[in-house]
Amino acid sequence: MDADVTDSAGPPSDPDRPAEDKPQDRSRDRSREESGRPEDDAPQEKSPAAPETDEAAAETGEGDSTEGGPAESESKAGSETGPKAAAGADGVQTWADRPKDGIVSARRSHWLRWTALAASFLVLVAAGVGWWMYKKLDGNITTDTSAAAELKAYEKERPTPVVMDAQNILLIGSDSRAGDNRKYGRDDGGSQRSDTTILLHLAADRKSATAVSIPRDLMAEIPSCRTGDDKKTREQFTQFNTAFELGGTACTIRTVERMTGIRIDHHMVVDFNGFKDMVDAVNGVEICLKEPIDDKDAHLELPAGRQKLNGEQALGYVRARKSIGNGSDTERMERQQQFLGALVNKMQSNGVLLNPTRLYPVLDAATKSLTTDPGLDSLRDLYDLVRGMRDVPTEQVQFLTVPRQPYRNNPNRDELVEPDAGDLFKQLREDKPVAVVPADELEEAERDKESGQDGKPDDAGSESPTPTPTYSGSSAADDLCKQ
């Protein structure tokens, strides 16, 4: 009887079901993996654990040749649990599989985007505020188009500029008693008068600035001018400030040009309130008084010594005449020059011109009460002017009054002293330097020169250069309390 082969060979094979691995086959496969080479005729099949082993080797950078062999790799792979192990089995990378550097980079990129957005927003806000401030200051300025039209009609008689880069600006202090200025005196129907007139010369190299005061009582040739009601005045020889009262700014400019031969490039008219606000904007200006002041007309009462004046006090100080010194207009102009010098010194020494946050209140105060020609009626034009002056040394910001003496027909009026006045105008017209010294020093130097004791050795063998004309005046660097 034939033997039952099923007992020795096991269950019959199912043609629709793949044969299970036999122990011999698994051991042979393991031997083949350990030996590192496949059998010659057997196809190379991987066990289900092979993909994980290969992926682990790829992640660690180790192959089958590493110490410990596949067994150690399988042990390490089997010890991993959770999302990472699942990712290795399925071949899909999860959030936990992402490198830590990638997470940090993503967070940094997130914050950088928010920082950039915040910075952009701040820039837009700052630009908006800056534009609003610019438009506000620009809108404060009043443009005097009528003076420009009047001057254009008389262009042929005006002087020709000699030095193109130099600037000559006429500063006019309005003495009108209309509106808010009514408390400073009688209101003559709002008539305008020139209380202070200063010719400011800026050198072409912007290394010096010379301010020349023209007395309001100086006798001068005033041309025929057009009045506010479109009438024409006659040409006359009278006191200087009549030009502003009759024909306004244009008539004053033509009078100065005829007197000096200097072409006026720009003009500014500032009233009382503008001056007060500028002083308050720089937090007051220090002066030094040799004697106390009690002037009811100027609304001013001050003790002697060093002190800081606010805007209201400063206005009374520069306008007072009868209660200070000898009561002359000459001494009043000297006070005005010294105060303006102290104001310039305060603005430069405290960095006002270089600090936009401190410069804005000054510009706001100035532009509110400022009337200019079309060439200076924008904030950009004024800024260019101020920028050109901010580097001028304070000792080179000089103040003086035109050489004058009592008028021979009326001692209450002034007249020019020649040839001194002509020499001064020639120096400014040709952009040449002038020097100023205190009045007592100038008088002493003139006495020494007349007596031949100038303190210099005689040198007849050499020709000395032309000396710089020297006038009585002051500079912005002078300390009034040390004089």
Side-chain angles (χ1 to χ4, degrees), residues 21 25-26 28-30 32-33 38 42-58 64 74:
D21 292 340
D25 296 336
R26 287 196 295 270
R28 185 168 58 251
D29 292 341
R30 183 177 299 276
R32 186 167 61 246
E33 292 176 0
Q44 298 183 15
E45 296 179 359
K46 292 185 180 180
S47 64
E52 182 178 354
T53 304
D54 293 342
E55 183 178 348
D64 291 343
E74 289 178 5

Side-chain angles (χ1 to χ4, degrees), residues 144-158 226 249-251 253-254 257 263-265 267 373-374:
D144 185 4
T145 56
S146 60
E150 182 77 5
L151 292 173
K152 188 176 182 179
Y154 293 94
E155 180 63 34
K156 292 183 179 180
E157 72 176 34
R158 301 184 65 192
R226 189 178 301 277
T249 303
C251 191
I253 291 175
R254 292 176 59 207
E257 290 182 340
R263 172 78 174 218
I264 303 300
D265 301 298
H267 70 269
D373 62 277

Side-chain angles (χ1 to χ4, degrees), residues 265-336:
D265 301 298
H266 301 289
H267 70 269
M268 298 182 184
V269 180
V270 184
D271 70 12
F272 290 162
N273 287 308
F275 177 80
K276 290 192 307 179
D277 293 342
M278 285 186 63
V279 174
D280 288 332
V282 297
N283 195 28
V285 176
E286 283 192 350
I287 64 166
C288 193
L289 297 176
K290 296 180 180 179
E291 299 177 353
I293 300 177
D294 187 6
D295 191 323
K296 294 181 180 179
D297 293 336
H299 307 280
L300 185 65
E301 184 176 355
L302 298 171
R306 183 186 291 272
Q307 54 202 289
K308 181 188 291 187
L309 302 185
N310 59 28
E312 188 73 27
Q313 294 170 327
L315 180 60
Y317 176 72
V318 299
R319 295 193 64 253
R321 180 171 62 176
K322 298 177 181 179
S323 61
I324 303 178
N326 58 14
S328 67
D329 196 47
T330 297
E331 200 168 277
R332 185 175 73 110
M333 285 187 297
E334 291 176 353
R335 275 200 318 278
Q336 292 174 352

Side-chain angles (χ1 to χ4, degrees), residues 429-465:
R429 186 167 55 248
E430 298 178 357
D431 196 32
K432 294 181 179 179
V434 298
V436 298
V437 295
D440 53 352
E441 293 184 16
L442 183 62
E443 292 175 359
E444 183 178 354
E446 290 177 350
R447 287 195 300 266
D448 292 342
K449 184 177 180 180
E450 291 176 358
S451 62
Q453 300 176 356
D454 56 1
K456 298 180 180 179
D458 294 334
D459 189 4
S462 62
E463 193 173 316
S464 61

Side-chain angles (χ1 to χ4, degrees), residues 215-418:
R216 63 180 183 177
D217 294 334
L218 180 70
M219 300 300 293
E221 291 282 354
I222 299 179
S224 174
C225 299
R226 189 178 301 277
T227 63
D229 53 1
D230 204 25
K231 295 180 180 179
K232 272 199 167 186
T233 64
R234 61 180 178 83
E235 186 172 335
Q236 53 190 308
F237 183 74
T238 183
Q239 64 186 69
F240 173 72
N241 67 342
T242 304
F244 191 75
E245 185 175 357
L246 293 178
T249 303
C251 191
T252 302
I253 291 175
R254 292 176 59 207
T255 301
V256 172
E257 290 182 340
R258 175 176 292 194
M259 179 193 306
T260 64
I262 298 173
R263 172 78 174 218
I264 303 300
D265 301 298
H266 301 289
H267 70 269
M268 298 182 184
V269 180
V270 184
D271 70 12
F272 290 162
N273 287 308
F275 177 80
K276 290 192 307 179
D277 293 342
M278 285 186 63
V279 174
D280 288 332
V282 297
N283 195 28
V285 176
E286 283 192 350
I287 64 166
C288 193
L289 297 176
K290 296 180 180 179
E291 299 177 353
I293 300 177
D294 187 6
D295 191 323
K296 294 181 180 179
D297 293 336
H299 307 280
L300 185 65
E301 184 176 355
L302 298 171
R306 183 186 291 272
Q307 54 202 289
K308 181 188 291 187
L309 302 185
N310 59 28
E312 188 73 27
Q313 294 170 327
L315 180 60
Y317 176 72
V318 299
R319 295 193 64 253
R321 180 171 62 176
K322 298 177 181 179
S323 61
I324 303 178
N326 58 14
S328 67
D329 196 47
T330 297
E331 200 168 277
R332 185 175 73 110
M333 285 187 297
E334 291 176 353
R335 275 200 318 278
Q336 292 174 352
Q337 295 167 5
Q338 292 171 351
F339 187 87
L340 289 176
L343 177 60
V344 171
N345 195 11
K346 175 71 176 288
M347 294 180 68
Q348 288 194 346
S349 62
N350 285 18
V352 175
L353 298 179
L354 300 176
N355 188 339
T357 58
R358 302 192 65 183
L359 180 60
Y360 175 80
V362 178
L363 291 177
D364 186 43
T367 54
K368 282 180 179 178
S369 301
L370 190 65
T371 301
T372 73
D373 62 277
L376 282 180
D377 66 345
S378 72
L379 190 61
R380 180 184 294 275
D381 296 326
L382 290 178
Y383 175 76
D384 290 340
L385 178 65
V386 172
R387 183 178 59 180
M389 293 185 61
R390 69 185 182 188
D391 294 328
V392 178
T394 53
E395 62 270 13
Q396 291 301 319
V397 180
Q398 303 176 125
F399 299 87
L400 69 153
T401 304
V402 294
R404 83 276 181 227
Q405 61 189 8
Y407 180 43
R408 56 186 177 275
N409 294 331
N410 185 351
N412 293 324
R413 302 287 182 264
D414 291 329
E415 64 179 0
L416 295 176
V417 174
E418 297 294 356

